Amino acid sequence: MFTTRPTLQGTYGMVSSTHWLASQSAMAVLEDGGNAFDAAVAAGFVLQVVEPHLNGPAGEVPMILAPAGSPPTVLCGQGPAPAGATIDHYTGLGLDLVPGTGPLAAAVPGAFDAWMLLLRDHGTRHLAEVLRYAIGYAEHGHPAVERIGETVETVRELFETEWTTSAELYLQGGRPPVPGRLLTNPALAATWRRIVAEAEAAGAGREAQIDAARRVWREGFVAEELAAAAARPAMDSSGERHAGTLTGDDLAGFEATYEEPARYDWNGWTVCKAGPWSQGPVLLQQLALLPDGLAAADLGTPGLLHTLIEGGKLAMADREAWYGDAADVPLTDLLSRPYAEERRALVGEHASHELRPGHPGGREPRLSRQALAAVARSASGGTGPAAGPGGGEPTVGGAPTTGGEPAVGAEPAVGPDGVTRGDTCHLDIVDRWGNMVAATPSGGWLQSNPAIPALGFPLGTRLQMAWLDPGLPNSLTPGRRPRTTLSPSLALRGDTPVLAFGTPGGDQQDQWSLHFFLHVALRGAAAVRSGLDLQGAIDAPNWHQESFPGSFHPRAMTAGRVVIESRAGEDTVRALRRRGHDVVVGGAWSEGRLCAVARDPETGVLLAGANPRGAQGYAVGR
């Protein structure tokens, strides 16, 4: 099978992430004697510096970690809705949706506390040791990747007329960051340095310093600046200026949490995901809907692609009706064999253009008014209203070209209407002791909110994922998490963690991840020591479907639409169209941005692969 790079193999440590500087920073921590969790924290903060268009300090991060000899656990760095973020408050402003940008869309930032909890409980290094890489790149500069400047250019007018603090940071001399030129963020470097200094003043103990840093973020100068920024009205995607609801009390009351992962056993593997406050169980439901007897020869065939697309539609329909943090989710029923068999019977020979949530345990599904409106618009040939600047994560793997097809690996997505949508990062690490972690940082993009001058970063916009209809699992609810698309994965053979993987891509994450996992599992499920072809699975032609309301403003859908890489071949495209799919042929390398690491539990051999699309992801190790 063709691959762009070899699957890396070694015994010391392996890292895969969406930026080479983050990968190498993590590897430097491993080389210095740190473990996978120390390395993950270092890489996570570097990603905030070198991919500011894809994540930021005030964003969020779910993780799945498997300490050596211990079962996997989920570390939730997704903050909840503030106490003042009631449905009545938003509808009283004349809104039908939470805006895609601006202070009203800000949830309680969750990433910082989650990274600190990981470092305190599972790491071995002091705070200053893991933050020094991010501080160095923010202070002395990093060569800007092309996408940063492209993103800034799309929101130049907004920055120059409304978000002037962002213009001061990202339009220096009136120009966006130039690819390859050093980009600095002195304010962010100063923020990290001050946090470290105040933490070290708390005493010499490693854990005491980390807890002190958490307090500085929640109750100290960072919290004061975040709350003040939320209180300042700013232009958002509604076309109006609004203040947010985030307060100092909201910040002081948040702590990241550990949770049991959702699990599903398939073909000798156990796949672990975050719970249904995320879209993670969508991957598990898609596995449950697969027919028996799949083999490697089925991969890439039109018949299997049709089955995967139709199963994905059913799983995403259930996500819309049943997933969220504002109500109990019938996950046991959703993953049960009787329910899967009932749903599998709905997959016919032709593509469905309907949104068909199920009835787990006999329950009646209910969709939001906006979701139903998106379904109606899609049925009439539309996809929804145009979003304002800085909407959600991309619905395709790259920016449309002038011909309407996705460009090669472009991120973040820039629509034909000029709308810029933030995206996401990912990292996976395994060390020589067998510690393993998968994390998907996102939110707090440079195009999400005005930059806070004293801190060097903006607030996030994750509340845009919650509905303004009461009584739904994903209704906007103070103290509850908006359902996130962020979806790291970890898979076991027996009781042993073997594979950590994930991808950016919003609603596409668990579609692209399914495709990757099947390629890994069906080509090398019998024995890890025979070599899991991680890079081949990442490189394989990928696709996604859009037959569900999107998670980001303006919550559009296109029933029947499938976007597939041209490398899938004309015969495959024709076969899918004969089955009724509305196929859009994308660029040859436009779908999926997977990272992955693995460990053979018998030999201790470590493996890694990274996405070549966009020429930014990188795996390192030895």
Side-chain angles (χ1 to χ4, degrees):
M1 182 177 179
F2 169 77
T3 60
T4 58
R5 316 167 182 178
T7 295
L8 302 185
Q9 298 185 54
T11 58
Y12 189 86
M14 288 286 164
V15 181
S16 179
S17 87
T18 49
H19 195 291
W20 58 85
L21 292 179
S23 294
Q24 192 55 52
S25 297
M27 195 66 206
V29 173
L30 295 180
E31 295 283 7
D32 195 40
N35 67 18
F37 309 118
D38 298 313
V41 177
F45 280 93
V46 169
L47 287 172
Q48 294 171 6
V49 177
V50 301
E51 293 189 328
H53 58 310
L54 305 180
N55 78 139
E60 43 276 328
V61 57
M63 313 177 204
I64 303 181
L65 53 141
S70 299
T73 187
V74 170
L75 178 50
C76 175
Q78 172 59 63
T86 64
I87 289 175
D88 287 346
H89 177 70
Y90 287 72
T91 57
L93 295 172
L95 299 170
D96 293 322
L97 291 171
V98 176
T101 58
L104 270 179
V108 179
F112 184 85
D113 200 65
W115 289 123
M116 292 299 99
L117 205 61
L118 180 68
L119 183 65
R120 187 196 71 181
D121 295 347
H122 301 282
T124 65
R125 292 301 188 246
H126 281 74
L127 179 62
E129 293 177 291
V130 295
L131 275 185
R132 66 189 180 97
Y133 304 93
I135 292 172
Y137 286 124
E139 191 167 60
H140 303 297
H142 57 94
V145 295
E146 184 177 359
R147 312 306 177 199
I148 298 175
E150 290 178 350
T151 302
V152 173
E153 184 60 44
T154 64
V155 288
R156 174 196 286 269
E157 182 179 356
L158 177 68
F159 281 14
E160 291 177 334
T161 60
E162 295 284 346
W163 296 5
T164 55
T165 56
S166 297
E168 292 169 2
L169 182 58
Y170 289 108
L171 286 171
Q172 296 179 11
R175 299 179 60 192
V178 177
R181 297 280 184 88
L182 291 181
L183 176 62
T184 62
N185 190 336
L188 180 56
T191 296
W192 296 145
R193 285 192 180 281
R194 183 173 173 184
I195 289 176
V196 170
E198 295 191 19
E200 290 179 341
R206 191 186 74 89
E207 294 182 7
Q209 290 181 3
I210 295 170
D211 282 335
R214 298 171 71 199
R215 289 193 297 273
V216 172
W217 179 275
R218 294 200 304 255
E219 303 171 18
F221 79 96
V222 177
E224 292 173 0
E225 292 290 345
L226 292 173
R232 284 191 291 270
M235 179 66 68
D236 60 38
S237 57
S238 72
E240 303 288 339
R241 297 180 185 88
H242 294 112
T245 61
L246 181 69
T247 68
D249 287 342
D250 296 314
L251 292 157
F254 174 76
E255 293 188 20
T257 55
Y258 293 106
E259 303 176 3
E260 285 294 314
R263 296 169 176 254
Y264 189 77
D265 296 329
W266 182 82
N267 205 28
W269 292 82
T270 299
V271 180
C272 297
K273 301 289 291 184
W277 53 267
S278 75
Q279 73 171 359
V282 162
L283 177 58
L284 308 184
Q285 283 198 256
Q286 289 177 105
L287 289 172
L289 289 168
L290 291 175
D292 295 331
L294 288 181
D298 296 312
L299 294 169
T301 63
L304 180 58
L305 288 176
H306 172 76
T307 297
L308 297 178
I309 292 165
E310 294 304 294
K313 292 175 184 178
L314 295 172
M316 294 300 270
D318 277 344
R319 184 197 76 167
E320 286 309 303
W322 300 110
Y323 290 21
D325 194 37
D328 291 334
V329 178
L331 190 58
T332 299
D333 289 328
L334 288 168
L335 295 177
S336 69
R337 180 175 292 275
Y339 183 75
E341 292 174 349
E342 174 188 321
R343 298 287 277 164
R344 192 182 302 122
L346 298 176
V347 177
E349 290 299 315
H350 295 279
S352 170
H353 288 218
E354 300 178 72
L355 188 70
R356 300 181 290 177
H359 298 73
R363 301 169 181 85
E364 190 67 27
R366 182 183 165 210
L367 298 172
S368 74
R369 291 177 294 109
Q370 292 295 330
L372 292 171
V375 172
R377 285 193 300 270
S378 181
S380 64
T383 58
E393 298 180 6
T395 54
V396 295
T401 67
T402 54
E405 295 182 358
V408 178
E411 54 177 296
V414 182
D417 54 1
V419 174
T420 302
R421 297 172 177 87
D423 200 354
T424 299
C425 307
H426 187 81
L427 65 88
D428 301 302
I429 304 177
V430 60
D431 63 27
R432 64 190 185 276
W433 300 289
N435 299 304
M436 187 176 290
V437 59
T440 310
S442 186
W445 314 297
L446 68 85
Q447 64 274 28
S448 64
N449 257 295
I452 304 169
L455 300 179
F457 60 85
L459 290 165
T461 56
R462 192 60 57 173
L463 289 189
Q464 66 180 290
M465 309 189 79
W467 296 113
L468 295 181
D469 298 71
L472 301 174
N474 192 32
S475 296
L476 181 66
T477 307
R480 295 290 184 171
R481 296 165 288 192
R483 189 192 66 216
T484 180
T485 54
L486 308 176
S487 196
S489 304
L490 195 143
L492 301 83
R493 298 282 291 170
D495 295 327
T496 303
V498 168
L499 177 66
F501 59 101
T503 176
D507 292 308
Q508 284 31 276
Q509 290 181 33
D510 285 301
Q511 299 184 59
W512 291 337
S513 290
L514 173 70
H515 183 264
F516 163 81
F517 176 71
L518 290 180
H519 274 261
V520 171
L522 293 178
R523 291 185 184 276
V528 177
R529 63 180 177 275
S530 65
L532 294 180
D533 185 14
L534 303 187
Q535 194 63 48
I538 290 169
D539 290 350
N542 216 326
W543 52 270
H544 78 269
Q545 55 89 14
E546 299 177 1
S547 292
F548 53 89
S551 295
F552 292 86
H553 189 90
R555 314 301 290 267
M557 69 175 283
T558 308
R561 172 67 55 83
V562 176
V563 183
I564 191 167
E565 290 180 333
S566 60
R567 292 182 296 125
E570 294 181 2
D571 290 345
T572 296
V573 171
R574 283 194 292 267
L576 291 175
R577 285 173 174 162
R578 283 195 297 268
R579 290 175 180 261
H581 298 282
D582 173 17
V583 181
V584 173
V585 180
W589 296 90
S590 56
E591 292 285 316
R593 293 188 287 285
L594 270 297
C595 300
V597 299
R599 182 178 186 273
D600 179 345
E602 295 186 18
T603 67
V605 170
L606 312 178
L607 307 99
N611 170 52
R613 299 163 179 89
Q616 194 166 309
Y618 229 81
V620 295
R622 71 171 178 88

